[in-house]
Amino acid sequence: MDKITETRAEYKARLKQRQTVIFGSIGAVMAILLALNMLFFTGILPFPFYRGFSSAKPVQYTVPCAAKKARPVPLGEINVRVYNATARTGIAQQVSDVLKERGVNVSATANWDSKERVTDSALIITGRKTVSQAYTLRAFFPKSRVVFEKGANTGIVDVVIGKQWKEMYELPAKADFRKAMNSLPGCTSDF
């Protein structure tokens, strides 16, 4: 072999070695970044940068008191919309089916599209006209919260299934309905 061929062979070997090191390093860095990204995405690792200016602030709801000596409303007189605020699919439909079987009028089921995160078992949103209906529905959702929303005077109660929802009472007893009519702690009659 002549000198030029040897020089070219050495050059190609060094070039190949450099390319292997560079592309190998890039691949390793990308694999590490992908693994970190998956850990952040799944919530195993908390994201290191808190973006407080764009995170949703918790909505401050007013908790209405049930009327004194309020009695459960017949289920056929309750109109409801059921929303799913969880990452699990089909929950709104499942809850809606149970309520329909019990005689409740369900007008819609959908995913909760609000940016507000619902961490309760269920959030029962009522207007002035439907406080008794909302408290009656608490018998199905024992760990739920009844809240008042100013614009909710349509005669329809919204039931939002939240993150801590595990199950609902499919057929509450009469005692459960009477117990559900007790006002929640911290409620107000001034709403």
Side-chain angles (χ1 to χ4, degrees):
M1 251 197 317
D2 63 351
K3 185 114 172 144
I4 294 176
T5 308
E6 277 182 35
T7 308
R8 280 190 180 161
E10 287 175 15
Y11 173 74
K12 283 184 178 181
R14 281 195 316 262
L15 182 63
K16 199 175 209 180
Q17 183 182 14
R18 258 190 265 144
Q19 287 175 342
T20 303
V21 168
I22 289 171
F23 288 116
S25 299
I26 291 172
V29 168
M30 288 178 68
I32 291 170
L33 289 175
L34 177 66
L36 278 173
N37 192 16
M38 291 305 293
L39 291 173
F40 292 140
F41 180 74
T42 57
I44 294 171
L45 283 179
F47 193 67
F49 306 109
Y50 176 69
R51 296 180 58 192
F53 65 90
S54 65
S55 63
K57 295 189 187 273
V59 176
Q60 296 296 326
Y61 285 111
T62 301
V63 177
C65 291
K68 290 183 181 180
K69 297 184 181 180
R71 293 185 176 194
V73 176
L75 297 179
E77 296 177 17
I78 301 175
N79 296 309
V80 172
R81 290 183 294 226
V82 181
Y83 295 99
N84 181 3
T86 71
R88 297 175 285 173
T89 58
I91 291 177
Q93 189 61 50
Q94 179 184 350
V95 169
S96 171
D97 290 343
V98 171
L99 291 174
K100 284 179 185 175
E101 285 176 18
R102 301 298 167 241
V104 176
N105 301 310
V106 180
S107 61
T109 58
N111 287 326
W112 184 242
D113 60 357
S114 174
K115 292 184 180 183
E116 175 197 356
R117 294 176 55 168
V118 179
T119 56
D120 299 288
S121 171
L123 189 64
I124 302 173
I125 303 172
T126 183
R128 290 186 192 280
K129 298 177 187 175
T130 55
V131 174
S132 292
Q133 287 91 333
Y135 271 93
T136 302
L137 285 172
R138 278 189 58 225
F140 288 98
F141 309 98
K143 295 182 181 177
S144 62
R145 210 170 31 126
V146 175
V147 296
F148 173 75
E149 187 174 60
K150 284 185 182 179
N153 284 327
T154 60
I156 298 175
V157 177
D158 291 331
V159 175
V160 184
I161 306 303
K163 189 176 182 179
Q164 293 182 12
W165 184 83
K166 294 197 179 9
E167 63 182 348
M168 65 184 280
Y169 289 160
E170 291 194 20
L171 185 55
K174 286 184 180 182
D176 295 324
F177 281 109
R178 284 192 298 273
K179 183 179 175 186
M181 297 309 290
N182 294 331
S183 293
L184 290 167
C187 70
T188 180
S189 297
D190 188 28
F191 55 88

